Amino acid sequence: MANIRFQALKETFNRKPIKFKEKGKHSENFGKNVFNYTAMQQMMTKAAFKSVQDAITYGKKIDRTVADQVASAMKDWALSKGATHYTHWFQPLTGTTAEKHDAFFEPIANGAALEKFAGAQLVQQEPDASSFPNGGIRNTFEARGYTAWDPTSPAFIYGTTLCIPTIFVAYTGESLDYKTPLLKALQQVDTAATAVCNYFDKNVSKVISTLGWEQEYFLIDDAFAKSRPDILLTGRTLLGHAPAKGQQLDDHYFGSISDRVLSYMRELETECMYLGIPVKTRHNEVAPNQFELAPVFEETNLAVDHNSLLMDVMEKIARRHHFKLLLHEKPFKGINGSGKHNNWSLATNTGVNLLSPGGTPMQNLQFLTFFINTIKAVNDNEALLRSAIASAGNDHRLGANEAPPAIISVFIGSQLTKVLEALKNVSKGKLSPEEKTDLKLNVVGKIPDVLLDNTDRNRTSPFAFTGNKFEFRAVGSQANCANPMTVLNTVVAKQLFEFKKDVDALIAKDNLKKDEAVFNILREYIKASERILFEGNGYGEAWEKEAKKRGLSNNKTTPIALQAKISKEAIALFESMDIMTEVESRARYEIEIEEYMMRIQIEGRVLGDLARNHIVPVAVRYQSELIQNAIGLKELFGADYKTIAKEQLALIKAISDEITAVKSKSKAMLEARKKANKKQDPTKRAVAYCDTVKPYLDDIRSHCDMLEMMVDDEIWPLAKYREMLFTR
Ligand code: ADP
Ligand code: MG
């Protein structure tokens, strides 16, 4: 067979942008395939509509007769849009989305048939759950799981299927998905934040958590991907020499987007509009062929669903455009990786963003309350937050001088640093009238100026305040946002409950006014959280040293980072907040530690195959040519040939050295895997993979990459970095 890489190159030379016809304005298409309020109002009785609204806003139960009505309306709406099937759409702990399609069609007597979909089918289903990961919760052959409708995320039509967002739980009650604990955490943060808001505004009756993610990704021509088993099987390149030109010129960032990519983006955006995903910005990222897509922020549960759906849609549309979508955190060595910033805030039903400084001192005290409580929550749970973003892929970014470090810290900017300094000096107990006036005029009254200060953004911080929201930047590009969002909302909820208790206690004990008590508690919180605040360069070694002194954890690898999930404190936290039982916490830990191990295992196997079956054979072939050449020279020149063929001889030797290294190290890696596999305990097995197998990946790669530089380009079998990264 001809060299697959050259076939791929030929294919890409003739690529044209895939024609794509836009159908009308985005605003007209927005939400067309979503069973949203507008569609519901059109299709449902007033009473049924109200019942669904109450379920969405206040978590009220929907009774069976109403469920029947909703199902019937949903079905009529879906059929009118050409849907033929329906599915419960859920997010099992595999990290992708799952669906099992059933037809609406149902045969009835006398050879006739009709379209059927009842409340019972809307509300609950029993997919065969035995092959989804459950971390040992269910004995796979006996217990079953079921999916249950989540009315807070609207149903949508994708292709010709009506997708109904659901949770996924075991019959024994344990959650088996990402959504269930997230919904519970969102409920808790609502309760806790609403109670705190009522100190400042009695009209607040609900607080929602908001999330705006920014999705980074790479696109390469799919012909190249097909030539690379590593990309196909692991989502990243396990070898490949850096190109002569990388990203050093920074000429890709915000540069013009190629026609092929633009055509892809437009089709993707149009599909997003139909699905109600409010994508808004698109641009090139730092690395060649790297891009970013970001929506307008939404309520967190919906935003999480939309991101999961988006990742799926992105891949499907990429195929149509002959692209391979790479969502991996680190597809290319030496080139920037991809993340998914999670912009997060809290908003009231009265339309106030609680992390946005307001116009009055009272609004600003409310802002400071939420701002400082969030900082304290991060401070008290830094290791748990780190564990929420841990994955084999993300380990390549965190601490690798491109993404935020593995140390969690909070950046707030110089102006808010000054505000916190001032608050730290507030007197204990009752405040004098002078001090109150001073606070009002000079501290709390001045905050809106911060918004104007956009200059001191710190790109190296994993958790940064950016004017009216916090930005959790260390999330991996492939991650399901539910994981970090569950942890963040839980720790903030817990903190806000404590704050309320502390303030109430102080009011009762010292007979303080409400704002005096708030100032007093905030002062203590600032003092208690100082170690987490860091404004400097997060990439530097100096910060590692300093963080260590401050007692912050620096968990560089996933097996270590994940331990925080099963610490006594974390288990107690999730139990006390009614979000996960100990069994659930442990099951999730086990799934993640196993997944980590399996990813390294697969990478090890794929690299072993590549080295033995792709790299070594071509190296030998090329070396044979050199040997023929040297023999020829010897015949021609006799004893003089050693000087004349000096370079060839050196190369022959060097190739032999690299081949020997590749062979012996591949063998050693295999042995290390065997040894690791013998460990029964999943944690120990994962640690063994991390410490004894993973280092070989880099080591073997370096020898293969040396060979890439030596062997004739004409016979190299795998698409090269320069081809994958610079072909549009
Ligand atoms: P960048 O960080 O790239 O400079 P922006 O600051 O404009 O970009 O916004 C990034 C993301 O922050 C967007 O997805 C936006 O929807 C989101 N965002 C803005 N306000 C909020 C908020 N109150 N809550 C959650 N996300 C928000
Ligand atoms: Mg950002």
Side-chain angles (χ1 to χ4, degrees):
M1 193 173 91
N3 182 321
I4 185 168
R5 173 175 150 240
F6 278 90
Q7 285 180 25
L9 271 170
K10 215 166 108 197
E11 251 181 79
T12 61
F13 283 150
N14 304 320
R15 291 271 197 246
K16 299 247 159 25
I18 298 294
K19 284 232 162 44
F20 159 69
K21 253 220 270 93
E22 259 160 301
K23 301 165 243 170
K25 282 192 205 132
H26 277 359
S27 57
E28 285 160 11
N29 295 333
F30 188 70
K32 257 191 179 164
N33 286 352
V34 181
F35 195 57
N36 51 22
Y37 276 162
T38 318
M40 277 187 221
Q41 245 169 338
Q42 277 169 8
M43 311 291 296
M44 273 155 51
T45 62
K46 268 207 175 112
F49 177 63
K50 171 95 180 26
S51 179
V52 175
Q53 252 183 330
D54 285 350
I56 294 170
T57 318
Y58 305 110
K60 286 198 182 143
K61 280 228 153 68
I62 292 176
D63 71 37
R64 263 297 147 87
T65 49
V66 174
D68 276 334
Q69 284 187 42
V70 177
S72 163
M74 234 186 232
K75 180 197 69 186
D76 292 344
W77 172 80
L79 290 175
S80 78
K81 300 219 160 244
T84 55
H85 287 66
Y86 64 90
T87 181
H88 274 197
W89 181 83
F90 57 102
Q91 296 163 58
L93 296 164
T94 43
T96 49
T97 54
E99 46 203 80
K100 171 182 160 256
H101 298 196
D102 282 303
F104 287 118
F105 160 88
E106 212 154 285
I108 51 173
N110 305 327
L114 50 70
E115 257 62 54
K116 217 177 127 187
F117 183 57
Q121 288 142 320
L122 165 67
V123 172
Q124 194 169 315
Q125 295 266 304
E126 289 176 35
D128 176 13
S130 55
S131 46
F132 293 112
N134 59 64
I137 285 178
R138 284 171 308 111
N139 216 332
T140 41
F141 42 86
E142 43 172 320
R144 287 167 304 164
Y146 66 90
T147 52
W149 178 34
D150 165 23
T152 62
S153 180
F156 56 91
I157 295 170
Y158 187 40
T160 54
T161 303
L162 170 69
C163 301
I164 300 152
T166 57
I167 56 165
F168 180 39
V169 279
Y171 264 105
T172 39
E174 288 89 4
S175 56
L176 297 171
D177 68 345
Y178 282 111
K179 195 191 261 273
T180 310
L182 175 67
L183 287 174
K184 290 179 177 172
L186 295 175
Q187 181 64 52
Q188 291 287 18
V189 88
D190 173 9
T191 310
T194 301
V196 171
C197 279
N198 287 342
Y199 280 143
F200 308 97
D201 181 357
K202 290 278 177 230
N203 294 320
V204 173
S205 60
K206 186 178 171 69
V207 172
I208 60 162
S209 156
T210 54
L211 165 65
W213 39 262
E214 301 165 59
Q215 179 72 53
E216 290 183 334
Y217 62 99
F218 280 87
L219 289 175
I220 61 169
D221 195 287
D222 66 2
F224 291 136
K226 282 180 200 138
S227 84
R228 307 238 2 175
D230 50 354
I231 291 183
L232 292 180
L233 298 174
T234 71
R236 73 177 183 107
T237 57
L238 296 172
L239 37 82
H241 203 280
K245 174 183 189 285
Q247 62 192 51
Q248 60 277 71
L249 296 177
D250 269 343
D251 50 358
H252 189 66
Y253 198 43
F254 286 104
S256 73
I257 299 171
S258 82
D259 287 348
R260 265 186 85 194
V261 172
L262 200 57
S263 173
Y264 165 75
M265 286 176 169
R266 280 160 68 176
E267 181 165 1
L268 175 61
E269 282 162 13
T270 301
E271 187 63 42
C272 284
M273 284 303 120
Y274 274 87
L275 291 166
I277 307 173
V279 294
K280 201 166 159 72
T281 61
R282 54 160 114 125
H283 60 79
N284 288 350
E285 262 303 326
V286 183
N289 280 10
Q290 190 187 29
F291 309 94
E292 184 188 284
L293 181 71
V296 177
F297 68 93
E298 300 175 280
E299 185 278 322
T300 296
N301 178 40
L302 189 57
V304 168
D305 279 0
H306 278 164
N307 182 247
S308 296
L309 179 59
L310 174 92
M311 291 194 281
D312 199 46
V313 176
M314 283 175 93
E315 199 186 326
K316 288 201 174 111
I317 294 179
R319 252 179 265 154
R320 235 177 64 75
H321 291 253
H322 301 294
F323 282 127
K324 169 79 180 163
L325 170 76
L326 303 178
L327 286 176
H328 194 283
E329 282 79 11
K330 191 74 181 175
F332 302 99
K333 187 184 166 187
I335 305 280
N336 259 29
S338 301
K340 177 151 55 199
H341 295 180
N342 277 205
N343 296 273
W344 171 88
S345 188
L346 295 169
T348 66
N349 62 323
T350 55
V352 174
N353 174 358
L354 292 169
L355 289 174
S356 184
T360 67
M362 200 56 165
Q363 279 170 349
N364 281 338
L365 188 55
Q366 175 173 278
F367 156 72
L368 284 170
T369 296
F370 284 92
F371 179 67
I372 293 165
N373 271 288
T374 304
I375 293 170
K376 177 140 193 308
V378 175
N379 177 69
D380 294 356
N381 299 279
E382 42 96 30
L384 186 60
L385 281 159
R386 164 69 181 97
S387 78
I389 48 158
S391 70
N394 218 12
D395 280 359
H396 292 285
R397 294 174 65 234
L398 304 181
N401 277 13
E402 59 169 75
I407 307 160
I408 300 290
S409 65
V410 181
F411 170 85
I412 58 173
S414 55
Q415 303 234 27
L416 282 163
T417 301
K418 282 190 204 126
V419 172
L420 295 199
E421 276 306 315
L423 286 176
K424 224 170 71 183
N425 297 321
V426 171
S427 318
K428 284 206 167 130
K430 280 203 187 307
L431 306 178
S432 66
E434 294 77 35
E435 192 170 9
K436 272 196 179 175
T437 312
D438 178 54
L439 278 172
K440 235 184 224 169
L441 288 181
N442 297 321
V443 182
V444 184
K446 284 250 169 103
I447 299 172
D449 294 349
V450 177
L451 288 180
L452 304 173
D453 176 25
N454 273 324
T455 48
D456 60 351
R457 284 192 153 199
N458 185 333
R459 287 281 158 195
T460 69
S461 176
F463 202 92
F465 185 72
T466 46
N468 56 0
K469 62 195 185 283
F470 277 104
E471 191 167 338
F472 194 5
R473 298 211 185 103
V475 183
S477 48
Q478 304 180 81
N480 187 316
C481 303
N483 199 349
M485 280 298 111
T486 300
V487 173
L488 181 59
N489 286 289
T490 301
V491 298
V492 169
K494 163 96 171 159
Q495 180 52 50
L496 291 170
F497 281 130
E498 261 165 35
F499 173 76
K500 175 88 173 39
K501 227 170 55 198
D502 289 346
V503 170
D504 286 348
L506 208 55
I507 293 173
K509 187 171 127 279
D510 293 348
N511 196 22
L512 293 186
K513 290 244 170 58
K514 197 171 53 193
D515 52 350
E516 284 172 335
V518 168
F519 276 121
N520 271 279
I521 298 297
L522 291 183
R523 181 192 60 231
E524 296 311 308
Y525 284 1
I526 294 168
K527 285 189 195 158
S529 314
E530 272 177 318
R531 65 166 190 163
I532 201 78
L533 297 174
F534 179 62
E535 303 285 302
N537 176 13
Y539 293 169
E541 244 177 74
W543 171 229
E544 286 204 45
K545 281 198 192 124
E546 167 68 17
K548 196 170 174 191
K549 258 197 247 157
R550 295 189 189 185
L552 294 172
S553 48
N554 183 6
N555 297 331
K556 292 192 173 173
T557 62
T558 295
I560 294 172
L562 287 179
Q563 298 310 310
K565 291 203 162 192
I566 47 166
S567 70
K568 251 205 246 125
E569 298 78 27
I571 287 174
L573 166 72
F574 287 112
E575 276 200 322
S576 70
M577 297 288 287
D578 228 356
I579 287 165
M580 287 192 282
T581 62
E582 175 162 4
V583 172
E584 288 172 304
S585 285
R586 288 195 183 279
R588 260 148 227 269
Y589 165 80
E590 222 156 273
I591 288 167
E592 288 179 38
I593 201 105
E594 289 260 338
E595 175 174 348
Y596 174 84
M597 187 278 296
M598 285 188 290
R599 291 214 181 266
I600 308 288
Q601 184 178 47
I602 292 168
E603 290 186 352
R605 285 180 186 155
V606 173
L607 182 59
D609 285 356
L610 275 176
R612 275 194 309 270
N613 303 328
H614 289 68
I615 309 302
V616 171
V618 294
V620 169
R621 225 168 90 197
Y622 181 56
Q623 196 188 36
S624 306
E625 256 179 54
L626 290 172
I627 292 169
Q628 280 311 313
N629 173 277
I631 291 172
L633 290 173
K634 190 175 178 185
E635 269 173 24
L636 273 179
F637 297 102
D640 279 351
Y641 100 100
K642 275 199 181 159
T643 340
I644 293 165
K646 194 168 154 229
E647 291 304 323
Q648 289 91 321
L649 293 174
L651 198 49
I652 290 167
K653 168 83 169 58
I655 290 176
S656 276
D657 291 347
E658 297 302 338
I659 290 175
T660 309
V662 169
K663 282 266 185 187
S664 69
K665 283 172 181 171
S666 299
K667 193 154 170 271
M669 177 170 68
L670 186 71
E671 290 307 316
R673 288 214 307 273
K674 278 189 190 159
K675 217 167 139 191
N677 289 340
K678 287 214 179 82
K679 299 200 187 294
Q680 291 301 311
D681 177 54
T683 302
K684 290 195 177 128
R685 197 158 63 235
V687 169
Y689 265 92
C690 180
D691 294 347
T692 67
V693 177
K694 199 176 71 175
Y696 281 116
L697 293 175
D698 287 333
D699 196 358
I700 295 169
R701 174 196 190 124
S702 69
H703 295 291
C704 291
D705 290 354
M706 289 299 284
L707 284 170
E708 184 183 324
M709 294 307 277
M710 296 176 193
V711 170
D712 184 359
D713 185 68
E714 286 276 331
I715 59 169
W716 193 257
L718 305 172
K720 293 189 171 181
Y721 267 35
R722 62 163 188 266
E723 292 153 358
M724 291 188 282
L725 288 167
F726 292 97
T727 306
R728 298 286 172 81

